[in-house]
Each structure stands twice: as structure tokens, then as C-alpha cells.
Amino acid sequence: MDLRWLRPEFVLVVAIYWIFFMPLTVSFSLLCLLGLFQDLLEGVPFGQHSLGLVIVAYICILSYQRVRNFSIWRQSAWVFVLVGIAQLTDNWVQGMAGRPLSGVQFLYPAITSALIWPLCYGTLNRWTHRYHH
């Protein structure tokens, strides 16, 4: 259980990829429902992941044209920022529920998500090109 903070945010990373490379297919309602389902699975306050997903999706929609042209490492840095924002909102909701985290431990998933971004990007890019064309 102590290592759960090192787990990357796979749902958020896939959502970021989806928005960056297929922005016209994004549904904020679907992302909200996906976040609510994730809340139920993890047993956290209802709406915690939905809030983070919707905020990150909005930022991605505003910046996807620029970020698509970044190198993979600059994209990883941007993924760190986006997941960090989602983790910040998660920590805020947890604090309102009476379970705040101390220190910067809540940013560990942002670091691991940024580190796995090149692998996720490559894998999702292959799948997208295989099934989209």
C-alpha cells in the first residue's frame, strides 16, 4: 500500500493522449462519467477524479495544437504539469473530506505519469494508426 503513490494515472494519461491527438472526438460528459466510475472503484469522494479530468481536458483543448508539435520529452513535461494539476485538485477534495496529504507526496503520480508518457504515447499511437486507417 505504501507504493500506491508511485502508480501512474493511466486513465488521465490516456485521456490526455485522446485529447491531444483526437480533440474533435472528446466528450466532457464521457470524461466526467469515467471519473465518477474511477471514484467508485477507488473509494474516494464522489466527483474527485471527474473534477481533475474535466479541468485537465479543458486545458488540453486549449493547448493541444501547440503541444502536439513538442518533442516527446517536452510533452512529458507538459503531462507532468497536467497530472500535477489533477493531483492538486484530488488533494484539495481529499482535504475537504478530512484526509489531506502532507508534503508533496500527492505529486508522485505526476512524476511516474510523465516518465511513462513516451511508452504510452508510442503504444497508443501505434493502436490509433492501426485501427484508424
Side-chain angles (χ1 to χ4, degrees), residues 11-13 15-17 19-20 26 28 31 49-64 78-90:
V11 173
L12 192 57
V13 169
I16 291 170
Y17 176 84
I19 295 166
F20 280 167
V26 173
F28 282 94
L31 288 175
H49 288 100
S50 295
L51 177 65
L53 273 169
V54 169
I55 290 171
V56 167
Y58 179 72
I59 295 169
C60 286
I61 290 291
L62 294 177
S63 64
Y64 78 92
W78 188 238
V79 167
F80 170 77
V81 170
L82 293 172
V83 175
I85 290 169
Q87 291 301 111
L88 189 62
T89 61
D90 287 355

Side-chain angles (χ1 to χ4, degrees), residues 84-133:
I85 290 169
Q87 291 301 111
L88 189 62
T89 61
D90 287 355
N91 194 37
W92 178 65
V93 171
Q94 288 288 338
M96 290 179 64
R99 299 179 295 222
L101 295 174
S102 60
V104 293
Q105 183 182 15
F106 68 93
L107 283 178
Y108 292 167
I111 295 168
T112 56
S113 297
L115 290 174
I116 67 153
W117 173 254
L119 177 66
C120 288
Y121 172 82
T123 303
L124 293 171
N125 210 20
R126 274 194 304 273
W127 285 354
T128 302
H129 287 301
R130 178 181 298 161
Y131 294 111
H132 198 296
H133 290 99

Side-chain angles (χ1 to χ4, degrees), residues 27-44:
S27 167
F28 282 94
S29 300
L30 179 63
L31 288 175
C32 192
L33 287 174
L34 186 63
L36 292 174
F37 184 68
Q38 190 176 359
D39 292 338
L40 289 173
L41 285 176
E42 293 184 15
V44 296

